[in-house]
Amino acid sequence: MKRLVILISGRGSNMTAILDAVGGGKIAGEVTGVISNRPDAAGVAIASDRGVATVSIDHRAYPDRETFEHALTAAIDVHAPDLIVLAGFMRILSAAFVDRYAGRMINIHPSLLPSYPGLDTHSRALADGVRIHGCTVHFVTDDVDHGPIIAQAAVPVRNDDDATALAARVLEAEHQLLVAAVGWFCAGRLVIDGARVRVKNESGDVVPLIVPAPDLS
Ligand code: GRF
């Protein structure tokens, strides 16, 4: 059983998807702790209701990034985790912090990286008129929202989408994608090969997503 620590900043729906998958036996791991940088994050209450140890480390209580990360490191290391999952964790992390957990920290990002790193991904995608948007799970490196990509989900952009509708559709895909990636990690199926990640024995069963769907009749 791999030991997982999840870092959150808010609602915690991606965290909840992992907890559900662990509870349902879809991930060969246990979530030993959830850490939030916001004490009022809704996800903290959800995790603690499910009996998961939670800690809040309010970044505003620390004079600088270094002291905040020192506290964060201590809270993580007490769990001796195999994997740290950034699930909507909205703090930039220093190179020293990232290096400490190299190869065992992953992030979910709401765009098809390398397009739209950073914030406001959905409105930026709509402004550019893309027809396919999505989300990415990647290993974390000190280049924010970069790092070897484990998996991506493509999501169609609909004519009447606004940022809220598009975000909701991407979020559903995020939950599936993150659960799959964490499951592969826990099963020992991820191999980092330079900038690329291989999933051992991955299914070759993929079809193109064409948006709008072609009229073939
Ligand atoms: C997700 O869209 C995640 O990709 C982004 O922030 C959102 C967090 O949602 N970085 P939740 O807290 O997992 O519900």
Side-chain angles (χ1 to χ4, degrees):
M1 279 289 203
K2 300 287 187 193
R3 298 169 63 80
L4 314 178
V5 167
I6 306 176
L7 271 55
I8 63 169
S9 295
R11 166 181 63 183
S13 69
N14 279 290
M15 172 205 76
T16 303
I18 296 172
L19 290 174
D20 287 346
V22 164
K26 288 188 197 150
I27 292 176
E30 57 173 326
V31 178
T32 61
V34 166
I35 302 171
S36 172
N37 67 307
R38 294 200 168 270
D40 56 350
V44 173
I46 295 170
S48 120
D49 281 353
R50 292 183 177 217
V52 178
T54 62
V55 181
S56 294
I57 300 173
D58 189 342
H59 61 279
R60 294 165 299 190
Y62 295 85
D64 51 34
R65 193 180 305 280
E66 196 181 344
T67 51
F68 165 65
E69 289 186 353
H70 187 73
L72 192 54
T73 300
I76 291 172
D77 290 354
V78 90
H79 294 284
D82 297 293
L83 179 66
I84 297 141
V85 182
L86 307 184
F89 185 68
M90 305 302 283
R91 299 303 297 167
I92 304 271
L93 297 165
S94 72
F97 183 91
V98 167
D99 289 349
R100 181 184 188 89
Y101 302 111
R104 54 190 179 112
M105 182 156 65
I106 66 174
N107 180 47
I108 175 96
H109 181 77
S111 78
L112 289 172
L113 291 172
S115 291
Y116 312 118
L119 300 173
D120 301 322
T121 57
H122 309 300
S123 44
R124 286 157 64 204
L126 287 171
D128 283 344
V130 302
R131 295 306 310 251
I132 298 175
H133 186 41
C135 50
T136 302
V137 176
H138 64 97
F139 281 104
V140 177
T141 61
D142 53 23
D143 199 358
V144 177
D145 293 335
H146 288 72
I149 290 171
I150 299 166
Q152 296 184 297
V155 172
V157 177
R158 300 205 188 287
N159 285 335
D160 58 353
D161 269 344
D162 58 14
T164 305
L166 184 54
R169 191 173 314 116
V170 171
L171 189 65
E172 274 184 43
E174 287 182 42
H175 298 160
Q176 296 177 49
L177 188 73
L178 187 57
V179 164
V182 171
W184 291 326
F185 183 96
C186 290
R189 290 179 60 189
L190 298 183
V191 181
I192 303 177
D193 184 5
R196 300 180 69 175
V197 178
R198 275 191 300 115
V199 180
K200 289 188 207 163
N201 305 318
E202 81 180 48
S203 163
D205 191 17
V206 286
V207 290
L209 173 65
I210 303 175
V211 181
D215 223 335
L216 297 175
S217 57

